[in-house]
């Protein structure tokens, strides 16, 4: 079993900006290979997941924020409220502008809205391939005077310049948290939560009172093997302390092994197919702070 104790980082990031500044281009570039594109169905009535960027040490969940523009009608008004609520709940906002265009009414409107939330904001100056380098500094100065951006990062979403650096800056900023979505899963399995609960139940049963109910189980991946009635499942048992990790694993991995065997039997009955279950144990000191968000996105814990 692969037992890790790294501080995994994760969080929700909203990309806002006027139409045509390059939001979709940026996401598509980031999505490249390492992303699981979520379905078009909204995950909640409020938010839509646009893409999940997963790495070994971090996961960035990009949230679509529709309607952050000057409302033209009643519905627009409502959309604005929805957008503003989203902005309050994410960990970070990326405000994207077009380097080639000057500050417009649309940008000013968005900046006013940003002032109404306390969520940190990065200014992303896109399309730097279209301007002379000398024009960048004055642009940065102008925007610096309008809002206390946490970072100002010039990029070219089209050509890829600085996109890696932006991703690194986001990762650096995100809080420690669980991997919300499997790295390789496109849609959510309805069975996911039951499987997680089955594993959790075995852990609690086999560790009795030694491990508090604060443990969580995250399903990292569920994959059916092609042309075979075998399902490979990877899951992480998240505990809050190193001592709990030791208990869950047991001497020479005995406890974890038994958890796996018992859970596998139940999951096989649930899915009606043979299951290969791989379990990890991870210490995540304040995963519980993220509980409300997890609930938002359909998790039980
Ligand atoms: P959105 O409306 O904000 O999602 O903008 P899009 O991603 O649809 O991009 C609008 C247009 O800008 C498209 O034609 C893109 O190819 C172009 N575009 C996006 N990013 C860049 C960039 O970094 N440089 C240049 N030159 N064009 C870009
Ligand atoms: Mg777009
Ligand atoms: K949220």
């Amino acid at each position: 079993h692969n037992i890790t104790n790294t501080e995994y980082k994760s969080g929700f990031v909203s990309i806002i900006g006027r139409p045509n500044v390059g939001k979709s281009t940026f996401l598509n570039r980031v999505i490249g290979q390492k992303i699981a594109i979520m379905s078009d169905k909204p995950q909640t009535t409020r938010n839509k997941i646009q893409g999940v960027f997963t790495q070994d040490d971090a996961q960035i969940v990009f949230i679509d924020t529709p309607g952050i523009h000057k409302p033209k009608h009643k519905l627009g008004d409502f959309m604005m409220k929805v957008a503003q609520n989203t902005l309050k709940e994410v960990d970070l906002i990326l405000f994207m502008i077009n380097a080639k265009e000057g500050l417009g009414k649309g940008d000013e409107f968005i900046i006013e809205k940003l002032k109404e939330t306390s969520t940190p904001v990065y200014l992303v100056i896109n399309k730097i391939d279209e301007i002379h380098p000398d024009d960048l500094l004055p642009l940065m100065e102008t925007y610096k005077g309008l809002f206390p951006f946490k970072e100002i990062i010039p990029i070219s979403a089209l050509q890829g310049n600085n996109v890696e650096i932006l991703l690194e800056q986001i990762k650096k900023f995100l809080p420690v948290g669980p991997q919300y979505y499997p790295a390789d899963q496109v849609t959510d399995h309805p069975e996911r939560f039951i499987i997680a609960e089955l594993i959790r139940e075995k852990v609690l049963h086999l560790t009795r009172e030694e491990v508090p109910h604060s443990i969580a189980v995250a399903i990292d991946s569920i994959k059916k093997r092609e042309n075979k009635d075998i399902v490979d499942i990877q899951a992480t048992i998240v505990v809050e302390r190193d001592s709990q990790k030791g208990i869950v694993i047991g001497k020479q991995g005995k406890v974890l092994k038994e958890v796996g065997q018992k859970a596998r039997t139940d999951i096989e009955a649930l899915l009606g197919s043979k299951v290969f279950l791989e379990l990890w144990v991870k210490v995540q000191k304040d995963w519980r702070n993220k509980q409300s968000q997890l609930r938002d996105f359909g998790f039980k814990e």
Side-chain angles (χ1 to χ4, degrees):
H1 292 285
N2 179 3
I3 292 143
T4 54
N5 188 16
T6 45
E7 301 263 277
Y8 197 85
K9 293 214 164 172
S10 64
F12 298 85
V13 176
S14 198
I15 309 173
I16 61 169
R18 287 156 63 185
N20 291 321
V21 295
K23 300 181 293 294
S24 300
T25 306
F26 169 75
L27 265 171
N28 289 340
R29 172 166 287 280
V30 172
I31 284 166
Q33 334 140 323
K34 277 219 147 186
I35 244 187
I37 304 175
M38 309 309 292
S39 71
D40 278 342
K41 266 189 286 166
Q43 301 293 311
T44 71
T45 50
R46 290 176 300 163
N47 300 324
K48 183 173 128 194
I49 310 278
Q50 281 193 309
V52 182
F53 176 73
T54 306
Q55 288 188 321
D56 292 340
D57 56 349
Q59 182 169 73
I60 308 170
V61 183
F62 289 102
I63 305 273
D64 191 17
T65 314
I68 185 98
H69 48 64
K70 231 181 173 117
K72 290 197 180 82
H73 41 69
K74 261 243 148 53
L75 182 66
D77 241 26
F78 172 75
M79 292 294 284
M80 263 314 303
K81 285 211 183 80
V82 172
Q84 275 174 269
N85 285 337
T86 301
L87 295 186
K88 265 185 227 152
E89 288 169 15
V90 295
D91 296 290
L92 181 68
I93 297 166
L94 302 184
F95 172 36
M96 189 176 282
I97 60 163
N98 180 346
K100 224 177 98 178
E101 288 170 7
L103 178 73
K105 281 258 181 293
D107 298 312
E108 283 170 356
F109 180 78
I110 291 171
I111 288 169
E112 287 316 304
K113 295 297 154 198
L114 292 177
K115 285 178 181 166
E116 291 169 22
T117 96
S118 57
T119 308
V121 185
Y122 284 6
L123 178 70
V124 178
I125 305 178
N126 190 31
K127 308 198 188 185
I128 52 165
D129 56 288
E130 293 215 306
I131 61 162
H132 192 277
D134 289 348
D135 295 333
L136 190 58
L137 215 57
L139 190 65
M140 290 169 88
E141 287 304 321
T142 303
Y143 273 88
K144 253 187 210 164
L146 298 171
F147 188 87
F149 296 105
K150 281 264 181 271
E151 300 280 349
I152 299 182
I153 301 151
I155 68 162
S156 168
L158 195 65
Q159 300 187 347
N161 314 46
N162 270 357
V163 169
E164 292 280 322
I165 287 169
L166 173 55
L167 289 172
E168 283 306 312
Q169 294 283 354
I170 296 170
K171 273 165 61 173
K172 225 172 67 186
F173 184 82
L174 291 182
V176 170
Q179 186 181 309
Y180 292 99
Y181 291 94
D184 55 351
Q185 205 70 51
V186 175
T187 52
D188 259 344
H189 275 261
E191 302 95 340
R192 273 181 77 198
F193 308 115
I194 303 167
I195 293 169
E197 281 300 287
L198 287 172
I199 297 168
R200 204 169 75 98
E201 179 191 282
K202 306 301 175 249
V203 176
L204 291 177
H205 181 69
L206 290 166
T207 59
R208 294 200 182 77
E209 301 308 310
E210 299 160 274
V211 169
H213 287 243
S214 61
I215 68 148
V217 174
I219 305 297
D220 304 317
S221 125
I222 305 173
K223 265 196 204 153
K224 195 186 168 300
R225 286 192 204 169
E226 232 168 282
N227 305 320
K228 282 209 183 94
D229 202 18
I230 297 173
V231 178
D232 289 290
I233 299 173
Q234 295 179 312
T236 304
I237 299 162
V238 184
V239 295
E240 288 183 304
R241 286 196 302 274
D242 287 315
S243 61
Q244 295 167 348
K245 189 174 91 173
I247 293 166
V248 170
I249 293 164
K251 277 206 185 84
Q252 287 156 336
K254 243 181 113 178
V255 175
L256 190 61
K257 197 172 165 198
E258 204 177 340
V259 167
Q261 283 167 349
K262 292 216 151 87
R264 180 171 52 79
T265 306
D266 281 5
I267 298 165
E268 286 183 338
L270 174 77
L271 301 181
S273 46
K274 199 165 164 50
V275 166
F276 277 85
L277 177 63
E278 245 185 303
L279 292 177
W280 278 259
V281 181
K282 202 177 202 167
V283 179
Q284 240 157 50
K285 294 205 166 60
D286 59 350
W287 74 266
R288 267 139 91 71
N289 293 339
K290 283 280 171 181
Q291 253 179 327
S292 67
Q293 269 176 345
L294 282 167
R295 253 197 309 278
D296 261 3
F297 288 90
F299 283 72
K300 276 203 155 171
E301 281 291 347

